[in-house]
Every structure is written in structure tokens, then in C-alpha cells.
Amino acid sequence: MLTDGIISVTPMSKLKMLREHPDFVRVAGYSATEVIKTFDLPQKAVDILTPYWIYVGEPMDNLPFTIYAYCMADYFAGSFVPRHRSHEMSMKMQRRVEENGAQFEFRQEVDKILVKNGRVRGVRTRRGDEIACDYVICGAYPNRAYTQMIEPKSEVPEGAVKFVNGNRLNVCPVSVMLVIEGAPEENGITNYNTFSGETMDTNEIWRNSRNITEPYNFITTVCLNYAVPDCVPEGYTHLSITNLVPVDPFLNVKEEEYYDLKRRLANEMMEEYIKVGGVDFRSRIAEIEVSTPMTISHYVGAWKGSIYGYSHSMDNHVIAKKAMMAEDHFIEGLEFAGAHGVAGDGQGTQITNGRAAAKGVFDAMAKKEAAAK
Ligand SMILES: Cc1cc2nc3c(=O)[nH]c(=O)nc-3n(C[C@H](O)[C@H](O)[C@H](O)COP(=O)(O)OP(=O)(O)OC[C@H]3O[C@@H](n4cnc5c(N)ncnc54)[C@H](O)[C@@H]3O)c2cc1C
């Protein structure tokens, strides 16, 4: 059963919607394509409603309608960009948590989660400190925790390895982040967010995104000037061009090919956007950063660069994940919070996943206390 303790307070919380609108649950067994077909909309309208799919990383035929509907509802409701971006949100959360008595340790990496007889007994940091504890909420992917972090290895339950292997990773970003001389209009950019490509057939886009030998046929761009006008000095443009792709093709890239690939992808993505804006800004680039799944994996430790956790697909969606939550719990005292959690990916959803993990710890503590009485 769903309980209040793990339900996000946001109006669009997935779990809250599912609990309060039982009719909505009935569409959970249908894909976005199947439900949209029943609307009898003109193809042009369907095409306009389609592009946001890329942010959930599953073609419409394999994307549960419920997930698609949440995304679209958020999209139509409008969104906010914090003045100092996501870092501002993190800083605010840090302050709030510290006010409640917690302590942050920056520049520390947990290397090992120490387990004895199926129970957490502490962690060891990369620099060698051992911290004894009864509970760990792990932000690293279960893939990393179960394959590299649990010590001793003999404490990794067989079910945990099956769980990791049974989940398909969601998409990873390939991004080109640019600061360009000239105001956005001079660079052919007239709005905050653009989706563009030669087709809106998501199966076709999905096939194309698995192939890194051809130019991507679908990109999204964000021009931050339109949300935060002073994000760059006056007379400059802040533009990011992104494609969200499966990690698989990147796993076969040889080290000596990597930088050439990165440069080629960046150039192709810029060319694709130049077709939309009509202005070739490449001679005016003041700063450029290119990131691939490797970059994300290297800098934030996201497993194979997946920023969205595990895929939400017709055979593995939030209701199935929720139903399996107890069975997917393998080591006493070890909870997970992050994009790989039940509620899924994105910055807002991480609060729901964090609440669920905290509730898991509080429930276990209460049970232990009750047993001791
Ligand atoms: C370019 C880009 C654009 C995005 N845009 C959006 C957007 O517009 N809206 C949106 O909702 N989402 C967006 N996302 C996705 C969103 O950022 C992620 O879904 C979300 O941050 C995932 O949260 P997380 O806690 O799982 O991982 P993270 O935010 O990556 O946090 C994990 C943290 O754990 C730390 N860590 C990992 N392993 C260890 C360890 N062993 N010891 C100690 N610390 C460790 C990492 O350093 C990191 O700080 C975007 C992501 C990218 C890359």
C-alpha cells in the first residue's frame, strides 16, 4: 500500500496521482501510442505533443501512457528555472538539512559499504576512514553498490545481482554547451527551448540514437538567456544542444577514437541546430564544453552515464517497481535514493525517492525499537 510518508507533496507526484485518481491507474497497462490513438487527433497535433518523449528516454510505443501524461502535465503547467540553477536548489536543501542537525562532508567518497551477516555495519571512505553506522542511504547506483562497493563480496545477495541485471539503464546525455558572442537573436535563437529533427517518429529517432556513426536526427536546445537574462554578460548567448541517447554504442568506443568522436558529434549537433536558426555562429564561439555519457559517469559517478536511472517501459513501470519494492530490498539497513529509485528520474522526483529511502530507515528503526521493548 502507498502511505503518506513516501508521497511527494508536489501536485504532480506520480504516487499521489495514482492513489487519488484510481481511474488513472487503468491506463497504466497501455503505451502512450495506444492511448493517444484513441484521441483521434490530427497527425500535426500528435507531432506537437510528441517531442517531450525524449526526456523519458523510451519510444512512445514502449512508454507507459501514465509516465507520458505526467511529463506533459508538467510541461503545460509551466516550469521554473532557479536564478543560480540547480546548484541553488542543492544549497537551499543543504541549509535546511543542516538546520535539522545533519552534517555534510564534501570531497569525500564512499568506497565500501561494510556488511556483516546481511546487515550494514558502516562505510569506508576513499581516504580510508571507517564510519560505523546501522543505516546507509546510498546515492550511487545499485549497479555500483552491489558490484563494487559491498565488502566483503560474499555479502552480495544473489537476488541483488539479478535485480541489477534485470533493470535496463535509461538514456544518457550528449551535450554541447556554448557561450557565443552576440545576443540570442543575432545567433538565430528566438526562444528558450526548441525540439527539432527530421522526423517525429520516435521509433525512428530511437533507432538513429543507437547509431553513433550517423548524425543524430533529433536534438533539443535550451537558450538560458530567455530564463535567466544575466546568466552571461550582455551581448553573449548561452546555448546548450542536447541529445539523450542509450549508452550501448558508447561502450564500444576505443580510447584512441573518443576525442575525434566527441568533436564530430558536437559539430554535427551544431550543424543540425544551425539549420533551425539559420545563423552559423561557429566562428563566434567564446566557450565550448562537450559532454558524453563518459563525462557524466566520470564526474558524478552515474552508472555508465545514465542520468535518468532505470528505464520506465511497458514491462517495467512505476506500478511494477512499486509492487516489487519489498522483494528488491536485499541488505538490512541499506536504502537507495536517486534517479534509480522507484519514482524515477529528474530533479524534483529525487525528493520523492529521498523521502521513500528515509521512510525505509525510520520504519526499520521503529521496528527495532519495538522489538527491543
Ligand atoms: C545536462 C543535464 C541536464 C539535465 N536537465 C534536467 C532538467 O532540466 N530537469 C530535470 O528534472 N532533470 C535534469 N537532469 C537530470 C537530473 O540532473 C538527474 O535525474 C538527477 O540529478 C539525478 O539525481 P541523483 O541524485 O540520482 O544523481 P546526482 O544528482 O548525480 O547525485 C549523485 C551524487 O552522489 C555523489 N556520489 C556518487 N557516488 C558516490 C560515492 N561513492 N560517495 C559519495 N558520493 C557519491 C555524486 O558525486 C553526486 O553528487 C539533467 C541532467 C544532465 C546531466
PDB file of all heavy atoms in Angstrom, residues 19 21 25 40 68 90 97 105 115 121 131 135-136 144 162 243 246 251 264 280 295 325:
ATOM      1  N   ARG A  19      -2.684   7.231  -6.366  1.00  0.00           N
ATOM      2  CA  ARG A  19      -3.538   6.906  -5.228  1.00  0.00           C
ATOM      3  C   ARG A  19      -4.862   7.654  -5.297  1.00  0.00           C
ATOM      4  O   ARG A  19      -5.921   7.108  -5.023  1.00  0.00           O
ATOM      5  CB  ARG A  19      -2.823   7.255  -3.914  1.00  0.00           C
ATOM      6  CG  ARG A  19      -3.588   6.729  -2.712  1.00  0.00           C
ATOM      7  CD  ARG A  19      -2.914   7.085  -1.424  1.00  0.00           C
ATOM      8  NE  ARG A  19      -2.926   8.533  -1.207  1.00  0.00           N
ATOM      9  CZ  ARG A  19      -2.651   9.091  -0.043  1.00  0.00           C
ATOM     10  NH1 ARG A  19      -2.312   8.347   0.973  1.00  0.00           N
ATOM     11  NH2 ARG A  19      -2.681  10.393   0.096  1.00  0.00           N
ATOM     12  N   HIS A  21      -6.360   9.127  -7.949  1.00  0.00           N
ATOM     13  CA  HIS A  21      -7.162   9.015  -9.179  1.00  0.00           C
ATOM     14  C   HIS A  21      -7.095   7.579  -9.688  1.00  0.00           C
ATOM     15  O   HIS A  21      -6.371   7.279 -10.635  1.00  0.00           O
ATOM     16  CB  HIS A  21      -6.645   9.990 -10.242  1.00  0.00           C
ATOM     17  CG  HIS A  21      -6.665  11.410  -9.776  1.00  0.00           C
ATOM     18  ND1 HIS A  21      -7.800  12.180  -9.808  1.00  0.00           N
ATOM     19  CD2 HIS A  21      -5.706  12.182  -9.217  1.00  0.00           C
ATOM     20  CE1 HIS A  21      -7.527  13.378  -9.310  1.00  0.00           C
ATOM     21  NE2 HIS A  21      -6.267  13.400  -8.937  1.00  0.00           N
ATOM     22  N   VAL A  25      -4.997   4.775 -13.004  1.00  0.00           N
ATOM     23  CA  VAL A  25      -4.232   3.529 -12.948  1.00  0.00           C
ATOM     24  C   VAL A  25      -4.631   2.610 -14.105  1.00  0.00           C
ATOM     25  O   VAL A  25      -3.828   1.845 -14.615  1.00  0.00           O
ATOM     26  CB  VAL A  25      -4.452   2.814 -11.590  1.00  0.00           C
ATOM     27  CG1 VAL A  25      -3.654   1.522 -11.503  1.00  0.00           C
ATOM     28  CG2 VAL A  25      -4.094   3.736 -10.443  1.00  0.00           C
ATOM     29  N   ASP A  40      -8.093  10.550 -31.466  1.00  0.00           N
ATOM     30  CA  ASP A  40      -8.448  10.953 -32.835  1.00  0.00           C
ATOM     31  C   ASP A  40      -7.954  12.348 -33.188  1.00  0.00           C
ATOM     32  O   ASP A  40      -8.685  13.168 -33.750  1.00  0.00           O
ATOM     33  CB  ASP A  40      -9.978  10.900 -33.036  1.00  0.00           C
ATOM     34  CG  ASP A  40     -10.416   9.487 -33.362  1.00  0.00           C
ATOM     35  OD1 ASP A  40      -9.574   8.729 -33.885  1.00  0.00           O
ATOM     36  OD2 ASP A  40     -11.580   9.148 -33.067  1.00  0.00           O
ATOM     37  N   TYR A  68       4.090   9.372 -19.680  1.00  0.00           N
ATOM     38  CA  TYR A  68       3.975  10.413 -20.700  1.00  0.00           C
ATOM     39  C   TYR A  68       3.048  11.529 -20.196  1.00  0.00           C
ATOM     40  O   TYR A  68       3.339  12.721 -20.322  1.00  0.00           O
ATOM     41  CB  TYR A  68       3.428   9.786 -21.988  1.00  0.00           C
ATOM     42  CG  TYR A  68       3.002  10.784 -23.029  1.00  0.00           C
ATOM     43  CD1 TYR A  68       3.937  11.349 -23.887  1.00  0.00           C
ATOM     44  CD2 TYR A  68       1.667  11.165 -23.143  1.00  0.00           C
ATOM     45  CE1 TYR A  68       3.545  12.274 -24.844  1.00  0.00           C
ATOM     46  CE2 TYR A  68       1.272  12.084 -24.090  1.00  0.00           C
ATOM     47  CZ  TYR A  68       2.212  12.634 -24.940  1.00  0.00           C
ATOM     48  OH  TYR A  68       1.820  13.553 -25.869  1.00  0.00           O
ATOM     49  N   SER A  90      20.266  22.849  -4.542  1.00  0.00           N
ATOM     50  CA  SER A  90      21.073  21.974  -3.674  1.00  0.00           C
ATOM     51  C   SER A  90      21.518  22.727  -2.420  1.00  0.00           C
ATOM     52  O   SER A  90      21.463  22.194  -1.311  1.00  0.00           O
ATOM     53  CB  SER A  90      22.325  21.486  -4.408  1.00  0.00           C
ATOM     54  OG  SER A  90      21.986  20.953  -5.635  1.00  0.00           O
ATOM     55  N   VAL A  97      18.697  20.953   5.708  1.00  0.00           N
ATOM     56  CA  VAL A  97      19.059  19.683   6.354  1.00  0.00           C
ATOM     57  C   VAL A  97      20.009  19.952   7.525  1.00  0.00           C
ATOM     58  O   VAL A  97      19.889  19.355   8.596  1.00  0.00           O
ATOM     59  CB  VAL A  97      19.689  18.721   5.310  1.00  0.00           C
ATOM     60  CG1 VAL A  97      20.232  17.465   5.967  1.00  0.00           C
ATOM     61  CG2 VAL A  97      18.652  18.333   4.256  1.00  0.00           C
ATOM     62  N   GLU A 105      29.731  16.246   4.525  1.00  0.00           N
ATOM     63  CA  GLU A 105      31.176  16.046   4.350  1.00  0.00           C
ATOM     64  C   GLU A 105      31.451  16.128   2.855  1.00  0.00           C
ATOM     65  O   GLU A 105      31.160  15.189   2.114  1.00  0.00           O
ATOM     66  CB  GLU A 105      31.590  14.657   4.855  1.00  0.00           C
ATOM     67  CG  GLU A 105      31.470  14.455   6.340  1.00  0.00           C
ATOM     68  CD  GLU A 105      32.736  14.852   7.087  1.00  0.00           C
ATOM     69  OE1 GLU A 105      33.815  14.867   6.463  1.00  0.00           O
ATOM     70  OE2 GLU A 105      32.621  15.150   8.284  1.00  0.00           O
ATOM     71  N   VAL A 115      29.358  -4.702   5.378  1.00  0.00           N
ATOM     72  CA  VAL A 115      28.170  -5.509   5.692  1.00  0.00           C
ATOM     73  C   VAL A 115      28.600  -6.752   6.465  1.00  0.00           C
ATOM     74  O   VAL A 115      29.657  -7.340   6.177  1.00  0.00           O
ATOM     75  CB  VAL A 115      27.454  -5.927   4.375  1.00  0.00           C
ATOM     76  CG1 VAL A 115      26.227  -6.795   4.657  1.00  0.00           C
ATOM     77  CG2 VAL A 115      27.037  -4.696   3.568  1.00  0.00           C
ATOM     78  N   ARG A 121      27.047  -2.394   8.563  1.00  0.00           N
ATOM     79  CA  ARG A 121      27.715  -2.057   9.832  1.00  0.00           C
ATOM     80  C   ARG A 121      28.560  -0.792   9.714  1.00  0.00           C
ATOM     81  O   ARG A 121      29.115  -0.303  10.688  1.00  0.00           O
ATOM     82  CB  ARG A 121      28.542  -3.232  10.352  1.00  0.00           C
ATOM     83  CG  ARG A 121      29.737  -3.598   9.499  1.00  0.00           C
ATOM     84  CD  ARG A 121      30.660  -4.569  10.214  1.00  0.00           C
ATOM     85  NE  ARG A 121      31.865  -4.811   9.435  1.00  0.00           N
ATOM     86  CZ  ARG A 121      32.947  -4.052   9.490  1.00  0.00           C
ATOM     87  NH1 ARG A 121      32.988  -3.014  10.289  1.00  0.00           N
ATOM     88  NH2 ARG A 121      34.006  -4.323   8.748  1.00  0.00           N
ATOM     89  N   ILE A 131      33.527   4.621   9.123  1.00  0.00           N
ATOM     90  CA  ILE A 131      32.464   5.236   9.920  1.00  0.00           C
ATOM     91  C   ILE A 131      31.445   4.141  10.229  1.00  0.00           C
ATOM     92  O   ILE A 131      30.851   3.569   9.307  1.00  0.00           O
ATOM     93  CB  ILE A 131      31.796   6.403   9.150  1.00  0.00           C
ATOM     94  CG1 ILE A 131      32.860   7.445   8.761  1.00  0.00           C
ATOM     95  CG2 ILE A 131      30.675   7.041   9.969  1.00  0.00           C
ATOM     96  CD1 ILE A 131      32.406   8.453   7.721  1.00  0.00           C
ATOM     97  N   TYR A 135      22.673   2.294   9.342  1.00  0.00           N
ATOM     98  CA  TYR A 135      21.891   2.539   8.121  1.00  0.00           C
ATOM     99  C   TYR A 135      22.708   3.358   7.129  1.00  0.00           C
ATOM    100  O   TYR A 135      23.420   4.276   7.528  1.00  0.00           O
ATOM    101  CB  TYR A 135      20.599   3.313   8.448  1.00  0.00           C
ATOM    102  CG  TYR A 135      19.723   2.557   9.410  1.00  0.00           C
ATOM    103  CD1 TYR A 135      19.784   2.810  10.782  1.00  0.00           C
ATOM    104  CD2 TYR A 135      18.859   1.570   8.953  1.00  0.00           C
ATOM    105  CE1 TYR A 135      19.006   2.093  11.675  1.00  0.00           C
ATOM    106  CE2 TYR A 135      18.078   0.846   9.840  1.00  0.00           C
ATOM    107  CZ  TYR A 135      18.158   1.109  11.199  1.00  0.00           C
ATOM    108  OH  TYR A 135      17.394   0.389  12.077  1.00  0.00           O
ATOM    109  N   VAL A 136      22.576   3.022   5.856  1.00  0.00           N
ATOM    110  CA  VAL A 136      23.219   3.791   4.781  1.00  0.00           C
ATOM    111  C   VAL A 136      22.153   4.080   3.732  1.00  0.00           C
ATOM    112  O   VAL A 136      21.427   3.176   3.314  1.00  0.00           O
ATOM    113  CB  VAL A 136      24.368   2.981   4.124  1.00  0.00           C
ATOM    114  CG1 VAL A 136      24.828   3.628   2.821  1.00  0.00           C
ATOM    115  CG2 VAL A 136      25.543   2.833   5.079  1.00  0.00           C
ATOM    116  N   ARG A 144      26.524  -0.082  -9.045  1.00  0.00           N
ATOM    117  CA  ARG A 144      27.863   0.124  -8.495  1.00  0.00           C
ATOM    118  C   ARG A 144      27.947  -0.466  -7.085  1.00  0.00           C
ATOM    119  O   ARG A 144      28.929  -1.122  -6.731  1.00  0.00           O
ATOM    120  CB  ARG A 144      28.201   1.622  -8.465  1.00  0.00           C
ATOM    121  CG  ARG A 144      29.562   1.837  -7.860  1.00  0.00           C
ATOM    122  CD  ARG A 144      30.197   3.165  -8.157  1.00  0.00           C
ATOM    123  NE  ARG A 144      31.464   3.226  -7.451  1.00  0.00           N
ATOM    124  CZ  ARG A 144      31.931   4.301  -6.851  1.00  0.00           C
ATOM    125  NH1 ARG A 144      31.260   5.425  -6.894  1.00  0.00           N
ATOM    126  NH2 ARG A 144      33.079   4.260  -6.225  1.00  0.00           N
ATOM    127  N   LYS A 162      20.681 -10.154  -9.655  1.00  0.00           N
ATOM    128  CA  LYS A 162      19.591 -10.348 -10.628  1.00  0.00           C
ATOM    129  C   LYS A 162      18.822  -9.038 -10.811  1.00  0.00           C
ATOM    130  O   LYS A 162      18.432  -8.678 -11.916  1.00  0.00           O
ATOM    131  CB  LYS A 162      18.638 -11.448 -10.143  1.00  0.00           C
ATOM    132  CG  LYS A 162      19.218 -12.834 -10.324  1.00  0.00           C
ATOM    133  CD  LYS A 162      18.192 -13.891 -10.020  1.00  0.00           C
ATOM    134  CE  LYS A 162      18.798 -15.275 -10.180  1.00  0.00           C
ATOM    135  NZ  LYS A 162      18.119 -16.274  -9.383  1.00  0.00           N
ATOM    136  N   ASN A 243      21.327  15.760 -26.973  1.00  0.00           N
ATOM    137  CA  ASN A 243      20.562  14.596 -27.407  1.00  0.00           C
ATOM    138  C   ASN A 243      20.641  13.573 -26.285  1.00  0.00           C
ATOM    139  O   ASN A 243      21.667  13.461 -25.611  1.00  0.00           O
ATOM    140  CB  ASN A 243      21.123  14.009 -28.709  1.00  0.00           C
ATOM    141  CG  ASN A 243      20.111  13.072 -29.353  1.00  0.00           C
ATOM    142  OD1 ASN A 243      18.975  12.964 -28.896  1.00  0.00           O
ATOM    143  ND2 ASN A 243      20.518  12.396 -30.399  1.00  0.00           N
ATOM    144  N   PRO A 246      20.828   6.111 -25.785  1.00  0.00           N
ATOM    145  CA  PRO A 246      21.214   4.932 -24.994  1.00  0.00           C
ATOM    146  C   PRO A 246      22.740   4.850 -24.899  1.00  0.00           C
ATOM    147  O   PRO A 246      23.438   5.309 -25.806  1.00  0.00           O
ATOM    148  CB  PRO A 246      20.671   3.751 -25.812  1.00  0.00           C
ATOM    149  CG  PRO A 246      19.908   4.329 -26.944  1.00  0.00           C
ATOM    150  CD  PRO A 246      20.274   5.755 -27.094  1.00  0.00           C
ATOM    151  N   LEU A 251      29.803   2.176 -25.399  1.00  0.00           N
ATOM    152  CA  LEU A 251      30.610   1.181 -24.690  1.00  0.00           C
ATOM    153  C   LEU A 251      31.649   0.538 -25.601  1.00  0.00           C
ATOM    154  O   LEU A 251      32.626  -0.030 -25.133  1.00  0.00           O
ATOM    155  CB  LEU A 251      29.700   0.095 -24.077  1.00  0.00           C
ATOM    156  CG  LEU A 251      28.669   0.607 -23.064  1.00  0.00           C
ATOM    157  CD1 LEU A 251      27.787  -0.522 -22.573  1.00  0.00           C
ATOM    158  CD2 LEU A 251      29.354   1.299 -21.889  1.00  0.00           C
ATOM    159  N   ARG A 264      33.290  15.232 -33.538  1.00  0.00           N
ATOM    160  CA  ARG A 264      32.380  15.043 -34.678  1.00  0.00           C
ATOM    161  C   ARG A 264      30.924  15.216 -34.237  1.00  0.00           C
ATOM    162  O   ARG A 264      30.147  15.929 -34.868  1.00  0.00           O
ATOM    163  CB  ARG A 264      32.592  13.652 -35.306  1.00  0.00           C
ATOM    164  CG  ARG A 264      31.638  13.385 -36.465  1.00  0.00           C
ATOM    165  CD  ARG A 264      31.934  12.120 -37.226  1.00  0.00           C
ATOM    166  NE  ARG A 264      31.790  10.900 -36.466  1.00  0.00           N
ATOM    167  CZ  ARG A 264      30.619  10.366 -36.102  1.00  0.00           C
ATOM    168  NH1 ARG A 264      29.488  10.968 -36.405  1.00  0.00           N
ATOM    169  NH2 ARG A 264      30.577   9.241 -35.427  1.00  0.00           N
ATOM    170  N   ASP A 280      25.010  30.672 -38.839  1.00  0.00           N
ATOM    171  CA  ASP A 280      26.174  29.860 -38.470  1.00  0.00           C
ATOM    172  C   ASP A 280      27.020  30.646 -37.465  1.00  0.00           C
ATOM    173  O   ASP A 280      27.740  31.569 -37.823  1.00  0.00           O
ATOM    174  CB  ASP A 280      26.996  29.508 -39.718  1.00  0.00           C
ATOM    175  CG  ASP A 280      28.054  28.457 -39.405  1.00  0.00           C
ATOM    176  OD1 ASP A 280      28.324  28.233 -38.201  1.00  0.00           O
ATOM    177  OD2 ASP A 280      28.602  27.860 -40.343  1.00  0.00           O
ATOM    178  N   THR A 295      31.620  11.442 -19.775  1.00  0.00           N
ATOM    179  CA  THR A 295      31.868  12.622 -18.939  1.00  0.00           C
ATOM    180  C   THR A 295      31.019  12.538 -17.669  1.00  0.00           C
ATOM    181  O   THR A 295      31.505  12.755 -16.557  1.00  0.00           O
ATOM    182  CB  THR A 295      31.477  13.913 -19.720  1.00  0.00           C
ATOM    183  OG1 THR A 295      31.859  13.773 -21.075  1.00  0.00           O
ATOM    184  CG2 THR A 295      32.087  15.141 -19.094  1.00  0.00           C
ATOM    185  N   MET A 325       8.900  -3.487  -4.525  1.00  0.00           N
ATOM    186  CA  MET A 325       9.823  -2.761  -3.635  1.00  0.00           C
ATOM    187  C   MET A 325      10.360  -3.618  -2.486  1.00  0.00           C
ATOM    188  O   MET A 325      11.558  -3.621  -2.209  1.00  0.00           O
ATOM    189  CB  MET A 325       9.117  -1.533  -3.067  1.00  0.00           C
ATOM    190  CG  MET A 325       9.802  -0.239  -3.396  1.00  0.00           C
ATOM    191  SD  MET A 325       8.749   1.115  -2.901  1.00  0.00           S
ATOM    192  CE  MET A 325       9.846   1.966  -1.801  1.00  0.00           C
TER     193      MET A 325
END
